[in-house]
Amino acid sequence: MAAPLLFLTFLAITCWVAWASEPSPLQDFCVADLNTPVKVNGLVCKDPKLVEAKDFFWSGLNVPAAINNPVGSQATPVGVAQIPGLNTLGISLVRIDFAPHGINPPHTHPRATEILTVVEGTLLVGFVTSIPENRLITKTLNKGDVFVFPVGLVHFQQNIGNGSAVALAALSSQNPGVILIANAIFGSNPDISTDILAKAFQTDPAIIANIQAKF
């Protein structure tokens, strides 16, 4: 009885790991039909006979983004919304432009690991491990350097140079999602109770209300 039990345990673990990532494609491609009202976990496939080269193409990643926000950075995503042919392929791309001393604020990607390379400038990057350690792991990156942010962990980038900076990042999902920590906590709709946040951050409700007003 021990051998069958061991096999079943292994099978259960293997299946759980498989379910923890995006499913593998079962055909050459599944170009997303962005016009269908049907909702699935992913996007409905376009008729393969109607697929064209433009379904696998997007142009403009060479164009710097306009930075019009207080944090001093702007992301240009290239996911399934921009390239329908990415549907089911489990990968996407993003360009991040930084103003001098700008930051890409602490955030997470709930569905993707990120691998980032610096194209121009110098970035301080880092992520925080989970409880109980909450360990901060940081590194200064120069042009051509590469760094990985594990899936789901809070991470950030800061331009520590005097000029502009640019980074490119690949993510292991066609739709990695992004949760900006400050926006989610202080800019939720409706607001999280100031009493809850005051206790969580061990501060006065008036301070919380003042921060919420900025979001």
Side-chain angles (χ1 to χ4, degrees):
M1 294 296 290
L5 181 60
L6 182 62
F7 172 75
L8 290 174
T9 302
F10 172 77
L11 183 63
I13 293 172
T14 303
C15 291
W16 179 85
V17 171
W19 292 335
S21 60
E22 295 185 354
S24 298
L26 299 177
Q27 53 211 25
D28 287 346
F29 49 76
C30 173
V31 173
D33 183 350
L34 301 179
N35 297 315
T36 180
V38 177
K39 302 297 182 185
V40 296
N41 188 23
L43 293 163
V44 174
C45 300
K46 184 177 180 179
D47 184 340
K49 297 183 178 62
L50 301 178
V51 168
E52 304 174 75
K54 68 179 182 180
D55 293 319
F56 301 92
F57 173 81
W58 187 82
S59 180
L61 210 59
N62 62 311
V63 180
I67 300 173
N68 302 314
N69 55 58
V71 298
S73 73
Q74 185 63 52
T76 303
V78 186
V80 70
Q82 290 73 37
I83 303 180
L86 283 175
N87 193 37
T88 76
L89 298 186
I91 194 169
S92 59
L93 193 66
V94 63
R95 169 180 172 142
I96 312 164
D97 287 279
F98 297 85
H101 309 296
I103 66 167
N104 190 10
H107 62 281
T108 71
H109 301 293
R111 295 180 290 276
T113 292
E114 174 182 345
I115 182 167
L116 175 144
T117 184
V118 178
V119 178
E120 294 291 342
T122 302
L123 297 179
L124 175 67
V125 306
F127 64 86
V128 180
T129 65
S130 57
I131 291 172
E133 289 86 5
N134 286 333
R135 181 182 171 203
L136 174 62
I137 297 176
T138 63
K139 180 73 174 173
T140 297
L141 305 182
N142 296 302
K143 183 176 179 178
D145 290 344
V146 178
F147 197 81
V148 172
F149 304 100
V151 59
L153 296 186
V154 175
H155 59 282
F156 62 87
Q157 300 100 32
Q158 179 185 23
N159 179 6
I160 58 174
N162 294 319
S164 298
V166 181
L168 289 176
L171 300 112
S172 61
S173 173
Q174 68 184 45
N175 182 25
V178 60
I179 301 171
L180 290 168
I181 304 304
N183 295 62
I185 292 173
F186 299 109
S188 66
N189 184 21
D191 289 342
I192 299 174
S193 165
T194 55
D195 290 337
I196 292 174
L197 294 182
K199 178 168 275 191
F201 286 93
Q202 297 295 288
T203 190
D204 189 272
I207 294 175
I208 296 297
N210 182 52
I211 297 174
Q212 286 178 320
K214 301 179 188 301
F215 289 88

